Amino acid sequence: MGDCNSDDFRTYTSATSFVDDRRFSKHVHDNVHGNIYLDRLSLKFIDTEQFQRLRDLKQLGLTYMVYPGAVHSRFEHSLGVYWLASDAVNRLRTCQGRELGIESFDVQTVKLAGLLHDVGHGPFSHMFEREFLPRVRDGLKWSHEDMSLKMIDYIVDEHGIDIDSDCLKKVKEMIVASEEGNSVSSKEKQFLYDIVANGRNGIDVDKFDYIERDTRACGLGCNFQFQRLLETMRVMDNEICYRAKEYLTIHKLFSTRADLHRTVYMHPKVKAIELMVVDALIKANDHLQIASYIDEPAQYWMLDDTIVKRIETSTDQELEESRNLIRRIRRRDIYQFCNEFAVPKEKLEHFKNVTAQDIACSQNSDAHLNEEDVIVTNVKIDLASGRNNPLERISFFQDYDSFEKFPIKDDRISHLLPACYQDMIVRVYTRKSELVEAVSEAFENFQLKTYGKKTQVHATPEKKKRLKY
């Protein structure tokens, strides 16, 4: 295979992809990627009430309560993933199209997978499926990816969208590829399944978009450049591989994602507000039957972030407790974060989630804590592969005139790279501000009992202990 000459690629995109498609496409201007061109089939999905619902789902859930700029939605993220998926598959088609047999059918399928991958998300994104549903539908195995598949079928049927059945099947397979996590597959053109939701090694355009979009929205810097990976990728043995010189670029992808989890997605105050909204939704569930919406796509598309405003402005007596919780959030009277500790590295392998009961049972004899006064969150932050190094699952090549792929070990690149790839942080909150001191002391007692020492960084500030509302 010849080198993917950048001049040739610019000629292709401007002369073939853009000019031909402009006659049949619509363009919108995105604040991250610039002009995005939407093809006719994709527009048939976009111009439905089910897809437009994504405008009312904030990409980062309740993060905007701490980072005011984080008000972007799943709608623009979906357009961004569509565009990057289009860019990625067209680059491969330009460089290796004949060799790989990439056809227009493949390009369309990958683009639709990028566009529709999040159409099954619930209110406030991951909070709905990870925090709310497990508490009201115990034992239910439910994911937004699976709901995306049902929503796609519903949109096609409801709006009579004329789409090839094989294309539709492959779109849905690509959306759940990361859930399946199969590195070896009998699927034809398996490399196409690595573009949107990569279960093989975690490098995909979904991450490219949300890392760039989320850091901008929160006013944070981002030193990860996804363009370098798009420009240097190459398919070898049915797998997307990357030039060896981009090893540190890929490491920045995973480390930036972990930083976002620590400083933004899992911010202590963001989680405190999420805990309050979850409590409000649980208290409102019997009256509003919120959880029942997941049973049918025809109902599910009507559920979005506006459920909180619906509760807040309702005059129903049955929603009074939920309404009061939401008003507490508005007035910044939120659940109090007491303290946290990082689980020692040597204890990670056999770590068991800490519970509110564990903390309540560790209280001092003169305290009067009830289990329902305490909330414990066990926050796992990793580089996308648990306690393993994600870069060990990636194949590299030396240069464009080489035909051999190979793995690379961290110690061959730098001794400054991490030796551990996962953090487990245990946080404790209280629903009542007057109990901060008692909960904090119980939390310290639990650490002493479990590890023989206090593993938190510092004591809970005295002013927080004295906080009264």
Side-chain angles (χ1 to χ4, degrees):
M1 187 201 94
D3 191 349
C4 179
N5 183 276
S6 59
D7 291 336
D8 290 344
F9 179 72
R10 282 194 296 270
T11 300
Y12 168 80
T13 54
S14 61
T16 307
S17 180
F18 288 173
V19 173
D20 288 350
D21 287 350
R22 279 180 179 175
R23 294 174 299 165
F24 314 108
S25 66
K26 177 181 181 180
H27 87 270
V28 297
H29 189 80
D30 178 63
N31 67 324
V32 173
H33 305 300
N35 284 339
I36 290 177
Y37 292 83
L38 305 168
D39 64 74
R40 288 185 296 181
L41 181 55
S42 297
L43 280 168
K44 290 180 180 179
F45 284 93
I46 293 170
D47 295 337
T48 64
E49 56 271 33
Q50 289 77 27
F51 189 87
Q52 293 291 318
R53 160 185 176 270
L54 297 181
R55 293 182 186 270
D56 292 318
L57 295 178
K58 287 187 175 62
Q59 171 78 7
L60 298 187
L62 291 154
T63 303
Y64 74 99
M65 298 294 289
V66 174
Y67 289 90
V71 292
H72 54 302
S73 71
R74 290 278 163 187
F75 183 85
E76 54 258 48
H77 167 64
S78 296
L79 296 188
V81 177
Y82 159 90
W83 187 240
L84 291 183
S86 172
D87 189 7
V89 71
N90 274 317
R91 286 177 186 269
L92 292 176
R93 189 181 187 187
T94 301
C95 299
Q96 296 178 268
R98 291 183 181 178
E99 172 191 342
L100 301 174
I102 300 175
E103 303 169 351
S104 298
F105 172 88
D106 300 315
V107 174
Q108 183 70 76
T109 303
V110 171
K111 290 197 295 183
L112 283 175
L115 181 72
L116 302 171
H117 77 289
D118 271 352
V119 77
H121 258 295
F124 304 105
S125 294
H126 295 287
M127 186 203 80
F128 182 77
E129 65 183 290
R130 295 176 183 172
E131 309 291 342
F132 170 69
L133 284 179
R135 289 178 60 184
V136 294
R137 301 282 287 264
D138 187 39
L140 176 70
K141 292 186 177 180
W142 189 93
S143 71
H144 74 272
E145 289 93 349
D146 290 337
M147 178 53 78
S148 290
L149 308 190
K150 296 177 182 177
M151 285 293 292
I152 291 169
D153 285 337
Y154 176 73
I155 292 172
V156 170
D157 293 341
E158 181 72 9
H159 298 275
I161 296 176
D162 184 15
I163 181 172
D164 181 85
S165 59
D166 191 36
C167 175
L168 189 63
K169 176 176 177 289
K170 289 182 182 297
V171 165
K172 293 192 289 184
E173 288 176 346
M174 288 178 182
I175 287 172
V176 295
S178 62
E179 279 196 320
E180 294 170 1
N182 295 327
S183 58
V184 179
S185 174
S186 59
K187 292 188 179 75
E188 182 187 7
K189 302 176 187 175
Q190 171 64 21
F191 63 90
L192 294 174
Y193 294 76
D194 294 345
I195 294 174
V196 173
N198 191 342
R200 193 197 303 260
N201 56 42
I203 303 177
D204 51 50
V205 296
D206 180 30
K207 287 187 182 66
F208 293 177
D209 184 84
Y210 76 66
I211 287 175
E212 181 76 18
R213 195 174 298 278
D214 295 354
T215 51
R216 288 194 187 198
C218 295
L220 306 174
C222 178
N223 63 356
F224 164 64
Q225 296 177 310
F226 67 82
Q227 296 89 348
R228 290 183 65 90
L229 299 184
L230 288 176
E231 291 167 2
T232 61
M233 62 185 179
R234 176 183 176 188
V235 176
M236 302 177 73
D237 296 334
N238 212 15
E239 175 185 4
I240 296 179
C241 306
Y242 300 89
R243 290 188 73 179
K245 65 185 293 185
E246 298 304 331
Y247 188 93
L248 291 178
T249 302
I250 295 174
H251 184 270
K252 285 177 183 176
L253 162 67
F254 295 116
S255 62
T256 302
R257 174 186 173 276
D259 287 343
L260 278 170
H261 274 271
R262 182 180 294 278
T263 60
V264 177
Y265 311 149
M266 302 296 182
H267 189 287
K269 280 191 170 59
V270 171
K271 297 302 293 183
I273 295 168
E274 283 187 3
L275 292 169
M276 294 186 77
V277 171
V278 169
D279 280 354
L281 293 179
I282 290 171
K283 292 177 184 298
N285 188 56
D286 286 344
H287 183 62
L288 298 179
Q289 296 295 301
I290 301 168
S292 68
Y293 281 64
I294 68 172
D295 296 328
E296 292 293 336
Q299 292 294 314
Y300 185 73
W301 77 265
M302 301 177 189
L303 188 63
D304 55 43
D305 292 359
T306 59
I307 186 68
V308 164
K309 180 60 71 174
R310 179 179 168 189
I311 294 170
E312 183 181 13
T313 57
S314 171
T315 57
D316 291 351
Q317 186 65 31
E318 294 88 345
L319 296 176
E320 183 177 6
E321 285 187 274
S322 298
R323 190 161 53 244
N324 289 339
L325 278 171
I326 293 168
R327 286 180 179 169
R328 279 185 60 184
I329 295 172
R330 301 295 190 201
R331 296 163 185 170
R332 211 62 175 183
D333 176 16
I334 62 176
Y335 291 167
Q336 287 297 306
F337 167 65
C338 299
N339 220 320
E340 68 179 21
F341 71 84
V343 177
K345 183 168 62 175
E346 65 274 11
K347 303 292 185 180
L348 282 173
E349 185 175 356
H350 302 292
F351 173 78
K352 290 177 60 176
N353 279 351
V354 181
T355 66
Q357 184 181 41
D358 293 329
I359 306 305
C361 290
S362 302
Q363 63 184 297
N364 294 334
S365 57
D366 59 343
H368 302 285
L369 289 179
N370 296 316
E371 192 175 328
E372 59 268 22
D373 297 329
V374 182
I375 308 173
V376 178
T377 62
N378 299 272
V379 179
K380 183 174 70 174
I381 300 173
D382 57 36
L383 298 185
S385 295
R387 292 189 295 112
N388 300 315
N389 180 2
L391 281 91
E392 291 181 353
R393 298 189 296 170
I394 298 164
S395 295
F396 296 87
F397 61 92
Q398 183 61 37
D399 218 325
Y400 293 113
D401 56 0
S402 60
F403 297 92
E404 178 187 358
K405 66 177 186 180
F406 51 85
I408 300 177
K409 294 285 188 182
D410 270 0
D411 58 7
R412 295 179 60 189
I413 301 294
S414 171
H415 297 301
L416 298 177
L417 295 176
C420 185
Y421 304 98
Q422 183 185 84
D423 281 340
M424 181 64 73
I425 301 170
V426 179
R427 289 177 178 156
V428 65
Y429 297 81
T430 178
R431 291 183 168 92
K432 299 177 181 178
S433 57
E434 65 270 18
L435 295 177
V436 168
E437 184 172 9
V439 172
S440 299
E441 289 176 355
F443 191 50
E444 291 179 8
N445 293 339
F446 172 78
Q447 295 168 57
L448 290 169
K449 182 171 62 176
T450 306
Y451 302 114
K453 61 181 180 180
K454 293 181 184 179
T455 52
Q456 62 196 41
V457 175
H458 50 70
T460 304
E462 288 298 321
K463 64 178 181 180
K464 182 180 279 287
K465 291 181 181 179
R466 295 193 299 270
L467 192 62
K468 299 287 187 292
Y469 281 103

